[in-house]
Amino acid sequence: MKRRAGLVLAAIFAALAVGCGQAASKTSAESAAPGAYQNEEFRTLFAENCAACHGEHGKGGAANALDDAVYLAIADDAVIRNAIINGGPGTASPAFGQTAGGLLKDEQIATLVKGIRAWARPEELNGVQSPRYAAERTGDTAHGGKDFQIFCAACHGADGTGTKFAGSIVNPSFLALVSDEALRTIVIVGRPELGAPDWRNDAAGQPMSDEQITDVVAWLATHRVPYPGQPYPSGTAASGAGERK
């Protein structure tokens, strides 16, 4: 998880400042590499609705890369379709489907799903079984704390608040902007375009198991506070005792 928190937090704040879709029109369709898109319709839809956050050609930006072999190994058609239609409730990711208040029709969403899925490269996983996209059980926070020491503490510190190698991954403002599902995706996929490794490379020669990923996410989630960014009396943030009346 090297360099992950500080980079991801900065990227998310950048997304809020720009706004998903607002700056996408600045992405020139003509600048796409040959063969990068299936057809002109997908190319235009992606540039206008996705590129501002996910990067030109889906290579990553404020949000994770979509043209990523690991992400596309865990995110099937249904996952991608749901993310486009509904966004990330409670996060900075907006809903694009008309059924959720967005502007995209079902046919346009289908074009985006098909185009993004065309970037899949299963051969890059070298036969390694990827973790599941969604957790199948409730995480064990005690185990997660121990697993954090094994896989994350070298860069993020024993308490997750950061070291000279990486920033805090328990920052309340960061955790307020990402769901547990998004945290799980970050742990599995990493942010390779920012130098953050995926689940196979956090500890040399020791890939994280699906259970360890679930537990680490559960441990990270315990660091959320009721009103992130607000001042709290010392020692009351975690318990909520500093909530405003």
Side-chain angles (χ1 to χ4, degrees):
M1 299 175 77
K2 190 174 182 179
R3 299 177 58 202
R4 181 171 298 149
L7 293 168
V8 174
L9 181 57
I12 289 175
F13 286 153
L16 291 176
V18 173
C20 292
Q22 180 179 343
S25 60
K26 298 180 182 178
T27 303
S28 170
E30 286 70 29
S31 67
Y37 298 97
Q38 279 191 314
N39 55 52
E40 186 65 26
E41 183 183 9
F42 170 67
R43 184 177 184 172
T44 301
L45 283 170
F46 191 90
E48 292 180 346
N49 298 282
C50 312
C53 291
H54 293 286
E56 191 173 8
H57 311 170
K59 297 297 185 181
N64 66 293
L66 298 179
D67 182 6
D68 181 277
V70 176
Y71 175 74
L72 292 172
I74 65 172
D76 59 17
D77 287 19
V79 166
I80 296 172
R81 182 179 299 107
N82 180 69
I84 296 171
I85 293 173
N86 298 306
T91 75
S93 179
F96 287 94
Q98 289 184 342
T99 57
L103 298 176
L104 296 185
K105 301 176 182 178
D106 290 344
E107 296 80 3
Q108 293 172 311
I109 292 169
T111 296
L112 282 171
V113 172
K114 183 177 180 180
I116 292 169
R117 289 296 306 162
W119 287 332
R121 301 178 302 280
E123 67 278 3
E124 291 190 14
L125 270 68
N126 297 318
V128 177
Q129 180 63 45
S130 60
R132 290 179 288 271
Y133 176 79
E136 293 193 338
R137 65 175 178 82
T138 301
D140 185 310
T141 58
H143 287 167
K146 295 176 182 178
D147 291 331
F148 185 88
Q149 302 307 312
I150 297 171
F151 297 101
C152 315
C155 291
H156 293 288
D159 58 359
T161 57
T163 68
K164 64 180 181 180
F165 301 109
S168 172
I169 201 168
V170 294
N171 178 282
S173 296
F174 167 67
L175 292 174
L177 293 170
V178 291
S179 62
D180 286 5
E181 182 179 89
L183 284 172
R184 182 177 176 87
T185 298
I186 292 170
V187 173
I188 297 172
V189 178
R191 291 297 301 270
E193 74 280 11
L194 300 176
D198 62 40
W199 94 100
R200 297 167 294 180
N201 301 301
D202 287 323
Q206 189 177 358
M208 296 181 74
S209 69
D210 195 278
E211 292 75 15
Q212 288 170 326
I213 293 167
T214 299
D215 293 342
V216 165
V217 170
W219 182 81
L220 291 172
T222 65
H223 293 79
R224 288 195 177 99
V225 299
Y227 298 104
Q230 298 297 322
Y232 288 92
S234 178
T236 63
S239 65
E243 295 178 14
R244 292 185 293 179
K245 304 299 184 183

